[in-house]
């Protein structure tokens, strides 16, 4: 248990009635999917964010109507950072290490960008969304005509598969199992 207000985890069955579920509402990370990064990020097509959010909202409403406590990944992560001094810095360093970016200048600029976000929930959401070169001031609209086909405008890839929350970790008893995902893209979620 990391924080004072978090309830203890105790999962003893996968087939009994669902009491609490961890979800992630599809967000702006889907807006950073482009034809050039779809395959790498394990997508066949660019989903419509509005439609995805409507479906997700209907799904979580059904669960709530059945008495299920719906917990959002970004809220739980923000609460964890709020309750554990120094954890945000550790998380950010690990996050940047796992981005696959080897450009030291880009990593430094990305770290500065994320460190300026004071609110932990906004910080967590931004790590999910990824980071564009434009947000770092390294890409201007006038550069579009010079952009090479297939070249990414992203400094850090988004994590668009996060709404599959059961894949990277599972609750068993009063503990968690962190799963090593097959692809590097999905491993960042854990």
């Amino acid at each position: 248990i990391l924080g004072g207000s978090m309830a203890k985890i105790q999962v003893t069955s996968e087939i009994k009635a669902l009491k609490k579920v961890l979800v992630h509402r599809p967000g702006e990370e889907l807006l950073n999917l482009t034809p050039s990064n779809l395959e790498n990020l394990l997508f066949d097509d660019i989903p419509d964010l509005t439609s995805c959010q409507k479906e997700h909202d209907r799904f979580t409403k059904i669960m709530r109507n059945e008495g299920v406590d719906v917990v959002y990944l970004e809220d739980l992560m923000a609460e964890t950072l709020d309750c554990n001094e120094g954890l945000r810095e550790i998380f950010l360093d690990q996050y940047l290490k796992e981005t696959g970016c080897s450009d030291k200048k880009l990593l430094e600029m990305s770290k500065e960008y994320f460190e300026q976000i004071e609110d932990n929930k906004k910080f967590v959401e931004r790590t999910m969304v990824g980071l564009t070169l434009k947000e770092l001031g390294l890409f201007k609209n006038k550069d579009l005509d010079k952009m090479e086909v297939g070249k990414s405008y992203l400094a850090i890839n988004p994590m668009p598969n996060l709404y599959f929350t059961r894949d990277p970790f599972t609750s068993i008893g009063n503990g968690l199992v962190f799963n090593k995902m097959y692809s590097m893209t999905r491993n960042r979620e854990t």
Side-chain angles (χ1 to χ4, degrees), residues 28-165:
E28 292 181 19
E29 64 275 3
L30 295 183
L31 299 177
N32 279 337
L33 287 170
T34 64
S36 64
N37 68 15
L38 282 177
E39 186 176 336
N40 185 41
L41 296 175
L42 309 176
F43 275 77
D44 294 326
D45 204 353
I46 299 172
D48 177 63
L49 176 59
T50 304
S51 297
C52 289
Q53 288 177 331
K54 283 179 182 176
E55 279 185 38
H56 176 84
D57 293 344
R58 280 194 307 265
F59 178 58
T60 54
K61 182 179 179 189
I62 290 168
M63 287 191 289
R64 282 188 190 96
N65 289 343
E66 294 297 319
V68 176
D69 184 11
V70 177
V71 178
Y72 287 87
L73 176 61
E74 48 275 23
D75 292 335
L76 186 60
M77 184 64 189
E79 182 180 347
T80 300
L81 295 177
D82 288 339
C83 294
N84 292 275
E85 190 174 327
L87 185 58
R88 179 177 158 139
E89 292 76 20
I90 294 168
F91 170 78
L92 181 56
D93 287 343
Q94 184 72 27
Y95 169 83
L96 292 171
K97 181 180 170 188
E98 292 179 359
T99 62
C101 177
S102 58
D103 185 313
K104 289 185 190 307
K105 177 80 172 153
L106 250 166
L107 288 171
E108 286 173 25
M109 292 177 77
S110 298
K111 186 171 186 169
E112 288 173 15
Y113 178 91
F114 286 118
E115 286 176 338
Q116 292 177 13
I117 303 170
E118 292 181 23
D119 179 76
N120 277 333
K121 183 172 179 184
K122 286 185 172 96
F123 167 77
V124 169
E125 290 171 336
R126 284 303 309 165
T127 63
M128 295 172 172
V129 171
L131 197 54
T132 66
L133 295 172
K134 185 174 183 177
E135 290 167 314
L136 294 177
L138 299 174
F139 190 90
K140 310 282 187 245
N141 286 340
K142 65 182 171 111
D143 296 330
L144 281 173
D145 61 343
K146 294 183 274 180
M147 190 168 176
E148 297 173 32
V149 173
K151 186 169 181 190
S152 178
Y153 71 99
L154 293 166
I156 295 175
N157 280 334
M159 291 188 277
N161 297 291
L162 273 171
Y163 53 85
F164 300 112
T165 54

